[in-house]
Amino acid sequence: MTKHLDRTEIGLLVALPLLICIAFVLPKWIVNYVHVSMGTGLVALGVMIQMRAGLVSFGQGLYFCVGGYAAGMTGKFLGVTDFFVLLSAGIAAALCLSFVLGFLLRRYREIFYAMLSLAISMILFGLLSSTEELGSTDGFNLPTASYFGWSPTGETARLTLYTLTCFIAIGCAIALNRFLKSRVGYVNEAIRENELRVEYLGTSAHNAVHLTYVVAAVVSAIGGVLWALPLGHVDPEMTNWTTSGQFVFVSILSGTGNIAAPLIGTFLLEIIRVYAVELSPNTWQLILGSVMLFTIIFLPKGLWSLITSKQKSSKKIGASAPKPGE
Amino acid sequence: MTKSRLGASFGSLLRNSTSIIMAAGIGVTAAFATAGTAQAEDASVKIGFVTFLSGGAAGPFGVPARNAAELMIQSINSGAIPAPYGTAGVGGAKIDPIFVDENSKQKNADYLKLVEKDGVDMVVGYISSGSCKAIAPEAEKAQKLTILFDCGTPQIFEDIVTDPKYTFRTGGHATMDNVAAARYLQQQDVSLDSIAGINQNYAWGQDSWRDFSQSVLQLKDGATVSTEQFPKIYAGQYGSEVSAILTSKPNVVHSSFWGGDMEAFIIQGSARGVFERSKVVLTTGETAMHRLGGQMPNGTVIGARGPHGDLAPESELNDWFRKAYFDRFGTLPTYPSYKMAQALLGVKAAADKAGSADQDAIIGALRGLEWEGPSGKVTMALANGHQAIQDTAYGTYMYDKDAGKATLVDIVRFPAECVNPPAGVTSIDWIKGGFQGAACD
């Protein structure tokens, strides 16, 4: 395991101050989209690391929702407003749930994994929709976050939350990058290629999938908390299949090539949607759908392949030696 | 399939860090490039309209509301509305609309975009109660005049924004619909000994049934609930629920179904005799009566979430609105159209009264305002003058076979003070406490 930072991590670290700076430079509404995109982007990251093991989770909204609701309920019923407590509540809830469910899900692959994860997320959707104490489908509101007893208001509160979100999102991305390059990360690649052989080599595919599932759940729950806090509201739509489907779509659109891809892809898709709505409020889905269709037709490996294919062609001119691992 | 795609992109892992920043930069600058373009022109007031333009709620609610908005904007700008709204513009300023789809996962970000980027002077919209819950605190934070025109939950000013400054709601909340439904049945001498409910299993259906059943229990000693059915929204098939209702033999069946669900229930339930054996109350029935015509059984009790549509009182303004809407869109306006018209006329009345379309002037004038909409008088009576109350009405369906026309008979009007809780009391406490302070003549 490498102790040095690789290029992606350096890139992410460089991006961190830039991300924070744009809060002061760009207009508030764009920063707001960047902010919520980091929340949903983290969930897309959770989907992406499972894709690396060949597993498509059609129910990642489950943990997005668990995170948001755990934070919300801690605030609503215990009266806690501390950001770090709310975040920990979200992480703890996702950790416990995913650890238990992992025993079931780790035994399934391909379409069965997708359908089972979808089914579990829809069970939660059904439960929340019929729970009147939690506002049913209308959901409920979250408190404004405080930080170790400090309760900023107005613009300060927004910037504090934004800055912390940047730190946590980038931190998660770096941690997941390390995860992908760790032993389990490589075992996941191997599971995708040939699971039987992995078992013959003496590694437990079940354990690797279980661990990946839990990691994806935790990062999705963090995304859920970070998304719900600026919004100040959670509802069961977070775990509906349309939401989960969107995360899968973002992962496919942006490509699984790099840990930063889903984060950027989420934001780009959001901006495209905003302008599509502005351009044609009645038929904006048509524009969004076309963008998705053309991306899949012309960039089957996702938007990230735009960057990597350019490099490949420039390298070919220099040296045409075959590269290992390609 | 996914397998091979993922396998192929494996090699492209971890390439270039500068490109990450580049890609992000492109997105941000693209968005930034057009950010500063929106500036309010002289003597125009820019209004953001947010309703469902896609999804299940678009057909029955969002699109009729948008249509009404388009009609009203044009008529207000040209001064074509009958007195007292004959002057052109709101406070002299022409309305410059921008429409946004409520069907979005980032409602708050979309709202902020309207305020910050498009520079709207006010936002009018929101049909879903979930949206209203999320938007109301945001509106107070953004300090932008926001008029909720339709959403029903009483929680907005009871729990969420208890001291509103920028948020208004120009439509009555859902409590009124169900209290009035119970009172109507009592007035029509329908037996309330046993009641049943079939409502969608989400907040709207649950709240509606709770308010209705509690009201009946208050109005009629010894009333019992024979069955409560909560099928999921958009289910479309109600075979087992209809069976459960038939076998429990209730006197009254209450339903807050809307859109396609309601039409499916009417057709499936009437075929099996639910409407003959029990008195059926449809709290949003008015939206479907003209479309269903003869398929809607006679004797069904019909509501319109206020005195809208066919329940609206006779007035020059109402006649004009119905005719103008029919001429333009080929159908009669239903209650979402009425509620949108009501909201815009409220804005116009406030701005005209203040003589300015300035935000503070409108807020000052709109607080506690009383104005005439196409469905009668509206008063901003609750929540420090931020929540409207208005009269409501219920009627009984009668299909005129000869004329091929759907009509309502035995229309009963209920004064606002009779079916709304007084200021400072939450809806459910008011119902359970026996309607303290209700003024019904």
Side-chain angles (χ1 to χ4, degrees):
Chain A
M1 193 177 144
T2 170
K3 285 216 174 64
H4 301 289
L5 296 168
D6 70 16
R7 300 180 76 172
T8 305
E9 287 165 359
I10 294 169
L12 285 167
L13 286 176
V14 173
L16 178 62
L18 286 178
L19 263 178
I20 296 171
C21 282
I22 63 167
F24 300 92
V25 182
L26 290 183
K28 223 160 78 176
W29 68 272
I30 299 185
V31 178
N32 209 43
Y33 279 112
V34 176
H35 194 166
V36 288
S37 297
M38 279 193 278
T40 45
L42 281 179
V43 190
L45 266 184
V47 173
M48 177 235 185
I49 61 166
Q50 293 174 80
M51 278 186 175
R52 286 295 190 90
L55 301 166
V56 181
S57 167
F58 263 106
Q60 206 59 27
L62 171 70
Y63 294 105
F64 182 55
C65 181
V66 162
Y69 264 74
M73 284 160 73
T74 313
K76 187 181 164 83
F77 297 116
L78 305 179
V80 179
T81 57
D82 192 88
F83 175 82
F84 301 97
V85 177
L86 296 182
L87 186 65
S88 314
I91 294 173
L95 198 64
C96 297
L97 184 66
S98 62
F99 180 72
V100 176
L101 289 178
F103 286 105
L104 176 72
L105 276 153
R106 67 184 197 177
R107 298 162 59 195
Y108 297 91
R109 300 290 178 268
E110 296 172 353
I111 188 76
F112 306 104
Y113 185 88
M115 290 296 114
L116 204 57
S117 57
L118 173 66
I120 297 167
S121 77
M122 289 311 287
I123 290 174
L124 182 68
F125 179 76
L127 276 177
L128 292 177
S129 299
S130 46
T131 311
E132 289 187 48
E133 290 73 28
L134 293 177
S136 182
T137 40
D138 286 349
F140 60 91
N141 284 24
L142 273 74
T144 311
S146 62
Y147 309 88
F148 298 124
W150 177 55
S151 322
T153 51
E155 196 66 359
T156 331
R158 198 178 64 85
L159 286 174
T160 315
L161 189 58
Y162 176 78
T163 312
L164 267 172
T165 305
C166 292
F167 271 103
I168 294 169
I170 296 288
C172 283
I174 291 176
L176 286 181
N177 194 38
R178 288 284 164 100
F179 174 78
L180 290 182
K181 287 168 55 189
S182 73
R183 201 184 65 90
V184 179
Y186 284 116
V187 169
N188 279 343
E189 308 277 350
I191 290 172
R192 191 186 64 221
E193 296 304 327
N194 192 333
E195 183 168 349
L196 206 58
R197 210 171 270 185
V198 172
E199 295 274 351
Y200 269 110
L201 287 170
T203 304
S204 166
H206 277 183
N207 285 350
V209 170
H210 198 157
L211 184 63
T212 310
Y213 182 71
V214 173
V215 169
V218 168
V219 77
S220 304
I222 294 175
V225 179
L226 295 182
W227 183 82
L229 278 175
L231 193 69
H233 181 80
V234 287
D235 62 33
E237 199 55 32
M238 290 172 84
T239 181
N240 200 5
W241 64 270
T242 49
T243 312
S244 301
Q246 209 166 306
F247 295 133
V248 174
F249 219 103
V250 168
S251 307
I252 291 174
L253 269 189
S254 11
T256 55
N258 190 295
I259 209 84
L263 290 174
I264 298 167
T266 307
F267 176 69
L268 283 181
L269 207 65
E270 203 58 61
I271 287 297
I272 293 172
R273 186 187 65 81
V274 168
Y275 278 94
V277 171
E278 187 171 313
L279 206 66
S280 119
N282 297 309
T283 51
W284 59 272
Q285 282 101 335
L286 211 65
I287 300 175
L288 206 60
S290 310
V291 169
M292 290 173 172
L293 196 68
F294 285 120
T295 314
I296 288 179
I297 293 173
F298 296 110
L299 295 169
K301 290 175 207 161
L303 292 171
W304 196 257
S305 60
L306 272 180
I307 292 162
T308 44
S309 63
K310 206 179 74 191
Q311 282 173 7
K312 242 180 245 169
S313 53
S314 64
K315 269 181 191 167
K316 248 179 205 158
I317 303 163
S320 56
K323 279 173 286 182
E326 198 72 323
Chain B
M1 199 195 87
T2 327
K3 230 175 170 178
S4 62
R5 183 186 299 147
L6 296 178
S9 62
F10 164 51
S12 59
L13 170 68
L14 318 174
R15 277 286 152 71
N16 191 334
S17 52
T18 50
S19 311
I20 306 168
I21 300 155
M22 243 177 62
I26 291 166
V28 170
T29 39
F32 189 43
T34 46
T37 53
Q39 291 289 325
E41 289 157 39
D42 286 338
S44 89
V45 53
K46 199 164 188 180
I47 305 184
F49 290 92
V50 191
T51 77
F52 283 107
L53 301 176
S54 65
F61 303 128
V63 171
R66 185 208 57 203
N67 288 349
E70 283 176 0
L71 171 69
M72 292 307 287
I73 291 161
Q74 201 187 42
S75 308
I76 288 175
N77 285 348
S78 63
I81 304 175
Y85 303 107
T87 55
V90 290
K94 296 260 190 309
I95 298 175
D96 176 15
I98 170 165
F99 289 93
V100 175
D101 194 348
E102 185 176 343
N103 184 15
S104 154
K105 298 208 191 307
Q106 314 286 15
K107 287 178 183 130
N108 289 38
D110 290 351
Y111 174 87
L112 267 188
K113 185 227 161 207
L114 269 179
V115 174
E116 301 271 328
K117 172 176 177 288
D118 302 320
V120 294
D121 297 296
M122 73 181 84
V123 177
V124 177
Y126 301 104
I127 289 168
S128 141
S129 289
S131 310
C132 285
K133 277 180 163 183
I135 293 300
E138 194 72 52
E140 295 295 320
K141 245 190 277 176
Q143 308 193 332
K144 185 56 70 180
L145 171 58
T146 299
I147 291 163
L148 312 172
F149 82 102
D150 187 33
C151 61
T153 180
Q155 288 176 21
I156 299 297
F157 297 120
E158 287 175 4
D159 300 334
I160 293 169
V161 181
T162 46
D163 182 24
K165 287 195 173 53
Y166 299 93
T167 319
F168 288 85
R169 181 158 55 182
T170 54
H173 53 57
T175 303
M176 167 173 96
D177 308 338
N178 297 292
V179 173
R183 286 195 183 276
Y184 180 81
L185 292 169
Q186 193 191 33
Q187 217 154 18
Q188 298 290 307
D189 290 325
V190 177
S191 168
L192 290 170
D193 290 335
S194 95
I195 56 169
I198 173 165
N199 291 284
Q200 292 143 329
N201 197 5
Y202 81 111
W204 160 255
Q206 292 154 2
D207 289 351
S208 293
W209 172 243
R210 190 195 59 214
D211 288 350
F212 178 79
S213 56
Q214 291 296 333
S215 299
V216 169
L217 295 179
Q218 285 297 329
L219 291 173
K220 168 86 184 174
D221 287 331
T224 54
V225 173
S226 67
T227 178
E228 18 185 292
Q229 297 294 323
F230 284 105
K232 71 174 199 295
I233 187 169
Y234 307 136
Q237 288 288 332
Y238 303 101
S240 52
E241 287 84 1
V242 167
S243 299
I245 290 171
L246 286 172
T247 51
S248 68
K249 298 193 179 66
N251 301 116
V252 168
V253 176
H254 166 272
S255 179
S256 62
F257 276 17
W258 49 265
D261 285 14
M262 175 170 66
E263 294 182 23
F265 172 67
I266 291 170
I267 289 161
Q268 292 164 25
S270 59
R272 293 179 59 188
V274 173
F275 288 70
E276 284 157 32
R277 293 202 200 177
S278 314
K279 198 78 176 166
V280 179
V281 186
L282 301 171
T283 59
T284 73
E286 187 262 340
T287 50
M289 58 183 260
H290 292 290
R291 193 160 52 242
L292 287 178
Q295 285 177 298
M296 176 98 85
N298 285 340
T300 308
V301 177
I302 300 277
R305 304 207 52 218
H308 307 300
D310 282 73
L311 291 167
E314 289 276 316
S315 72
E316 194 197 344
L317 184 60
N318 186 29
D319 294 342
W320 168 83
F321 182 61
R322 287 179 89 78
K323 184 172 183 306
Y325 192 96
F326 188 84
D327 288 348
R328 182 161 174 162
F329 301 108
T331 57
L332 284 169
T334 51
Y335 80 75
S337 315
Y338 271 85
K339 289 184 118 173
M340 178 56 89
Q342 184 166 311
L344 281 172
L345 287 179
V347 170
K348 178 162 168 56
D352 289 352
K353 186 180 158 197
S356 153
D358 186 54
Q359 167 166 296
D360 292 335
I362 294 182
I363 289 176
L366 190 56
R367 199 182 295 129
L369 185 74
E370 199 178 292
W371 75 96
E372 290 288 330
S375 35
K377 192 181 77 178
V378 189
T379 314
M380 298 299 262
L382 303 179
N384 291 332
H386 285 248
Q387 164 69 53
I389 59 170
Q390 66 184 129
D391 297 353
T392 191
Y394 266 81
T396 302
Y397 187 75
M398 198 56 67
Y399 184 65
D400 185 343
K401 267 202 186 120
D402 301 328
K405 198 170 176 301
T407 58
L408 292 177
V409 295
D410 296 333
I411 293 175
V412 177
R413 299 196 179 282
F414 299 92
E417 293 76 14
C418 173
V419 288
N420 283 291
V425 183
T426 63
S427 304
I428 192 67
D429 290 345
W430 178 66
I431 296 174
K432 284 185 173 164
F435 309 110
Q436 291 284 319
C440 309
D441 331 303

